[in-house]
Every structure is written in structure tokens, then in C-alpha cells.
């Protein structure tokens, strides 16, 4: 079955530590996205990538970094510079970028819940 | 409207009753309007993607309408069932997909 796999499901970060959230898709989609959800807020875009080796900052990129070395993979690193990392993180993909595929929905993983120790 | 807004924020409905909620979005530079259902402990799944003014789409007991001139969409659920309990998100794509905060629906048996 095609889909998006996020791991781990739960992650704990110590102060000053960088942690990496994994996102893998086998849908052959060009575009991938990372969102963050906080209580009472909508999904906010952290980073997105429309093609391999290219990515752009979203609305709340500070304290995060990404890479897109392979089409299937879009890992998100939460760095120690992110002062409030506790949140639920969702990865998504679409066949191409948002503009090019506005009439097609995004596909989501099950999410990773990150907490601070 | 500059953002995507949803109302109400939460809703409790008796099993068997019908309900509806609203998504408001910027009507300028409209491309499409997405509806997603997000059940607890699962990933959001797409319900509808609507593109044309006056569009009405249906999936079982759930339907949605679209008014692009005034910038709103309604989602209707007829004869609510416990499995309809979820958060319903709408989103408007432009340079990026902008999500509303969602309507959390709880069906009371």
C-alpha cells in the first residue's frame, strides 16, 4: 500500500539536543511538507520541498532544518535553537507543488509527538 | 478575509441529528478548497477538493458546498453517527496550503 510513514510516533528531547523526525513516502510524489500543530491552532507550515535537493521555508522555519536528498525522504531536524519544540508534527506529500496540484489533496502521515524532557 | 477560518471551534451533536459547519477563506486568487477529516490517532484524510463556484460534492452522508464569490464553504453531515466524531479541517491552496483551526465534532450516542 502506498503511503507516508513517520517515525518515531513519540520523541523526547533533552535541553540543547537536536532531534530528527523521519518522513518517508512511496507515493512517488514530488512535493513534501512538514507541519506543526499546537493546541487551538491550525496546521502551520514549517518547510516544504517541491523537488529533490530543493526546499523552502514555510511560516515557522526558525529552529528547524530539513534535507531532501532522495525523493522518498524528507527528514526534519528540530534544533536546540527551537525554544518551544513541544508539539505534534505532521508530514505530508502531494504529486507536485501546491500551486500545480491545488485540485489534488495532500496525503498525510500519522504524525510524531515531540516533548521536552 | 485574509486567513482560513472555521466555525464553530467545537460541536456536540446527538446521534442521528444532522449538523453543519463553516469554512471561510480569501475569495481573491481562489484555486481550490480542501476538506479533511482527522480522527484521533489517525492521519488526516481528504474528504473533498472543490474548485468551482456552486460546486456541491457528496460522500455518503457527508456533503459540501462552495461559494467562491463570497469565500465560504459548508460541510453537512446528515444523520450523525459515532464514527463521524473527528476534527474537520478546511484548507485553501495558494503558494502554500493554509489550514483553518478545525471544527472538533463529537457525536453523543
Amino acid at each position: 500500500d502506498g503511503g507516508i510513514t513517520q517515525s518515531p510516533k513519540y520523541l523526547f528531547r533533552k535541553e540543547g539536543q537536536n532531534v530528527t523526525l523521519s518522513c518517508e513516502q512511496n507515493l512517488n510524489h514530488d512535493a513534501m511538507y512538514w507541519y506543526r500543530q499546537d493546541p487551538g491552532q491550525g496546521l502551520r507550515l514549517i518547510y516544504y520541498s517541491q523537488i529533490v535537493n530543493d526546499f523552502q521555508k514555510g511560516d515557522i522555519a526558525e529552529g528547524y532544518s530539513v534535507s531532501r536528498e532522495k525523493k522518498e525522504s524528507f527528514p526534519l531536524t528540530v534544533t536546540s535553537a527551537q525554544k518551544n519544540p513541544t508539539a505534534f508534527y505532521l508530514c505530508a506529500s502531494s504529486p507536485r507543488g501546491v500551486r500545480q496540484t491545488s485540485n489534488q489533496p495532500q496525503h498525510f502521515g500519522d504524525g510524531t509527538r515531540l516533548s521536552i524532557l | 478575509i485574509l486567513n482560513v477560518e472555521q466555525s464553530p471551534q467545537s460541536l456536540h451533536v446527538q446521534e442521528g441529528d444532522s449538523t453543519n459547519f463553516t469554512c471561510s477563506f480569501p475569495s481573491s486568487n481562489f484555486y481550490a478548497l480542501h476538506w479533511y477529516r482527522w480522527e484521533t490517532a489517525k492521519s488526516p484524510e481528504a474528504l473533498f477538493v472543490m474548485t468551482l463556484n456552486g460546486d456541491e460534492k457528496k460522500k455518503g452522508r457527508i456533503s459540501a458546498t462552495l461559494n467562491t464569490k463570497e469565500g465560504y464553504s459548508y460541510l453537512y453531515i446528515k444523520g450523525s453517527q459515532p464514527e463521524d466524531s473527528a476534527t474537520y479541517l478546511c484548507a485553501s491552496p495558494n503558494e502554500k496550503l493554509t489550514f483553518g483551526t478545525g471544527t472538533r465534532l463529537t457525536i453523543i450516542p
Side-chain angles (χ1 to χ4, degrees):
Chain A
D1 279 340
I4 297 181
T5 302
Q6 287 188 243
S7 62
K9 202 172 178 75
Y10 300 95
L11 188 57
F12 297 91
R13 195 192 90 168
K14 294 180 182 177
E15 293 286 340
Q17 186 183 43
N18 292 355
V19 291
T20 298
L21 284 60
S22 169
C23 178
E24 304 277 330
Q25 55 102 356
N26 60 3
L27 299 165
N28 200 33
H29 286 175
D30 284 336
M32 296 185 75
Y33 312 84
W34 274 106
Y35 295 95
R36 169 179 170 142
Q37 192 204 27
D38 295 281
Q41 299 199 39
L43 297 177
R44 292 185 291 166
L45 184 65
I46 305 171
Y47 268 99
Y48 64 102
S49 166
Q50 299 195 85
I51 200 164
V52 175
N53 292 324
D54 185 58
F55 48 84
Q56 284 82 38
K57 293 181 180 180
D59 298 322
I60 53 166
E62 187 175 346
Y64 299 97
S65 66
V66 292
S67 62
R68 188 86 188 279
E69 296 175 6
K70 297 187 299 181
K71 188 174 185 177
E72 304 80 22
S73 179
F74 191 40
L76 173 75
T77 296
V78 184
T79 74
S80 56
Q82 172 48 246
K83 296 306 176 191
N84 185 21
T86 298
F88 188 74
Y89 292 86
L90 270 176
C91 178
S93 71
S94 63
R96 289 188 292 160
V98 172
R99 268 289 180 91
Q100 294 93 333
T101 55
S102 59
N103 62 345
Q104 294 183 38
Q106 291 188 358
H107 296 251
F108 289 87
D110 287 342
T112 294
R113 185 165 297 281
L114 176 62
S115 303
I116 295 296
L117 281 178
Chain B
I1 293 173
L2 298 177
N3 292 317
V4 177
E5 297 170 359
Q6 292 186 247
S7 63
Q9 195 170 1
S10 66
L11 196 51
H12 289 76
V13 173
Q14 203 69 39
E15 182 177 351
D17 286 352
S18 296
T19 187
N20 65 85
F21 28 92
T22 308
C23 173
S24 302
F25 54 87
S27 53
S28 59
N29 295 321
F30 176 81
Y31 291 92
L33 194 281
H34 297 196
W35 280 103
Y36 295 86
R37 174 169 58 200
W38 191 2
E39 295 179 66
T40 303
K42 295 186 178 180
S43 54
E45 62 169 6
L47 284 173
F48 306 111
V49 176
M50 309 179 78
T51 56
L52 297 176
N53 185 44
D55 239 359
E56 181 168 344
K57 295 207 171 182
K58 192 172 178 181
K59 191 175 184 177
R61 294 178 292 97
I62 304 176
S63 61
T65 60
L66 180 68
N67 182 322
T68 61
K69 295 186 190 305
E70 295 182 38
Y72 64 83
S73 175
Y74 293 133
L75 191 82
Y76 300 90
I77 302 178
K78 189 177 175 182
S80 303
Q81 299 297 308
E83 60 265 27
D84 297 328
S85 295
T87 296
Y88 291 83
L89 298 171
C90 68
S92 177
N94 197 313
E95 290 298 328
K96 59 183 176 68
L97 196 60
T98 300
F99 285 85
T101 54
T103 292
R104 182 185 291 272
L105 176 65
T106 304
I107 306 302
I108 305 164

